[in-house]
Amino acid sequence: MDDASMDSSMVGLLGRVTGTIGPGLVGEVIVRIRGGAEHFLAHPASSKERIDVGTVVMVMEHLPPRTVYVTAAYDS
């Protein structure tokens, strides 16, 4: 699988926040991918969104190798 296919395959995946994400914060998420679970540095897809630990998120964009932009998957 080439890098472009791998990058686009992350968009739409669900993960869980393990380090708070928000304006001015680089958080962390764990995402199930490639037969396991991997940690990624995370930024909010919306610059004003704050996402707390434990929140289920959806990957909106992936910047290789280990950075994602996410949004809350469900309304709270």
Side-chain angles (χ1 to χ4, degrees):
M1 181 180 290
D2 65 20
D3 287 342
S5 299
M6 216 158 106
D7 297 344
S8 64
S9 70
M10 284 203 62
V11 173
L13 292 180
L14 297 179
R16 186 167 302 272
V17 176
T18 56
T20 302
I21 302 165
L25 299 173
V26 177
E28 184 182 64
V29 297
I30 189 167
V31 179
R32 290 192 180 279
I33 187 168
R34 295 185 278 271
E38 298 182 23
H39 288 265
F40 292 85
L41 297 176
H43 297 276
S46 167
S47 63
K48 296 180 185 220
E49 188 175 17
R50 180 182 173 92
I51 309 171
D52 294 319
V53 171
T55 303
V56 175
V57 293
M58 181 179 294
V59 175
M60 303 304 287
E61 184 177 356
H62 174 227
L63 299 178
R66 307 223 46 92
T67 302
V68 292
Y69 285 80
V70 299
T71 191
Y74 307 106
D75 292 334
S76 25

